[in-house]
Structures are given as C-alpha cells and as structure tokens.
Amino acid sequence: MGKHGRVKRWLTLAVSLAAAVLLLMFVFFVRISEVEVSGNVRYTREQVEEAVFDTNLSRNTVICYLRDRFRPHKTIPFVEDYKIVFRSLNRAEIIVYEKSVVGYVSYMNSMIYFDKDGVVVESTSERLPGIPMINGLEFGHIVLHRPLPVEDPRIFSELLNLTQILEINEIIVDQIEFARSGRMRCCIGTLLVELGDNTQMNGKIGELRSILKEYPDLNGTLYLDTYDEANLSPMFRFEKNQNRD
C-alpha cells in the first residue's frame, strides 16, 4: 500500500473516530430540559414530570426515546398510561391518560378506588381530593383490576349518574350512601342531604345547587326526597343539627 493509501486510511479512521465521539457526546449530553404536561387533573405538572423522569439518566433524550419505544411505561397510581411526544432534542410533552374514578370504599385500612363500572383501579392509603367515600355497599373479597363483588352491579350506573350530575352542578360531596331500600343520600361537610331514590335526580341536584349558593354553611339534614318536578314552587324540610354550633 502506498503512502497515499495509508494517509487515506488514517483519514477515514480519524473521521470515523470523530463521528463516534460526536455520537457518544450526543447520546450522553443531549438531555430533555423542557417538559410540558397535558391531560393531568389529579397530579400537578411537577408530580408527573418527577414520576416519569425520576433519575438523571431518564432525562437523556436518546435513552428516554429507546425506553419509551421498547420498554413498559412506569406505573403511576391513578394513571392508565401516558405518552411522550418529543418536540425537539431538548423538549418533550407528556400526555397523561388518567383512570376514571368515581368513588372509593374503605377496606382493611385502605381506600379502594373504583371506576364507573365498579372496577377497582387502585388501593392506597392516600385520600384523593374530590372523590367521595361510598357507604352502604356490601361486597366480598376485593381484587385489584376486577369489579367490586357487590350483590347488584346496577348500583354503579346509579352512582355514575349521580356523580356526573354533581360534577355538572359543580358540587363536591364527601360521602354518598346507598340504603338497601334503594334510597340515596350524600354528605357535604356538616350537611346531610336525603335524595330518596334515583328518580328526578337532575332536578334534586339542581335544587341543591341553588340552596347551597344561598346557604353555603348549612348544618343539619336537608330533605330533597320530596322533590316533584311538577311543583314550580317547592318547599323542602330542613332539620338543623342540634349537636353542633
């Protein structure tokens, strides 16, 4: 091999080494520094970012991309899944798909959260803001990701209907209670609201919203079970709680 050939070979080797060094620098030093989060309701942007990028290595753009493509996503309570969209080498968006949660029951010192179909989505000691405790349900052994073993599963459609109407009317309740007779009631702070059965629920909750706007600090029991949509000037019984101020 002549001198010219040796020079050409060394130049090729030098270019290859330089390319390899640049590639290594890219792999190890290009990092995700800007993170956007969307779809999150129960978690803040910071909480989602910390859960997904929990180590310095996880912020590396190349490693993050490979993990996102070829490895299962990290498990985050109350999150069904998430998607990472790479906007640039240094910027990414995390799109969160949260689990649908309508209530929880107390079971063996834990809070068992379930979705609109009664499927258990999480068991935790954490109280989730805005999610009511459900009383009056009788069930057997609870298994994560399986339906609550209640006697009549139709109760979940009634619960979903009630929680949706409450959400539309921007009313947050602490507890919802079901009786064997099919009657329902809810607790809002120091106010207990008797709702009766599941008929005319839109009207009952609409009346509740109007009453709460005018009297936000009621302490006692409000009887909306007598609601009749045909009555244009309804009057409802209220019994003040004598045990509290």
Side-chain angles (χ1 to χ4, degrees), residues 136-158:
L137 300 182
E138 296 184 3
F139 46 83
H141 184 63
I142 292 178
V143 179
L144 194 62
H145 307 309
R146 298 290 299 275
L148 276 174
V150 297
E151 185 176 343
D152 186 1
R154 289 177 299 180
I155 198 169
F156 295 119
S157 62
E158 296 181 11

Side-chain angles (χ1 to χ4, degrees), residues 166-235:
L166 288 167
E167 183 177 357
I168 291 172
N169 285 274
E170 300 179 328
I171 299 175
I172 298 176
V173 301
D174 301 310
Q175 297 183 36
I176 296 174
E177 183 175 336
F178 289 87
R180 278 187 169 273
S181 62
R183 299 175 67 84
M184 293 180 283
R185 59 183 182 178
C186 62
C187 181
I188 308 170
T190 59
L191 176 65
L192 180 65
V193 184
E194 295 284 355
L195 295 170
D197 59 27
N198 64 348
T199 60
Q200 305 184 77
M201 193 59 72
N202 279 293
K204 294 173 184 177
I205 301 303
E207 292 289 345
L208 176 60
R209 179 180 181 179
S210 299
I211 292 170
L212 289 175
K213 280 187 175 181
E214 191 168 355
Y215 306 101
D217 300 316
L218 287 176
N219 181 358
T221 303
L222 175 64
Y223 293 86
L224 295 179
D225 52 345
T226 59
Y227 173 82
D228 183 358
E229 61 185 12
N231 186 352
L232 300 180
S233 300
M235 297 287 290

Side-chain angles (χ1 to χ4, degrees), residues 112-132:
I112 310 298
Y113 290 88
F114 57 90
D115 66 11
K116 60 183 179 63
D117 299 313
V119 176
V120 177
V121 299
E122 201 67 49
S123 173
T124 177
S125 59
E126 176 189 358
R127 172 70 193 276
L128 203 62
I131 302 299

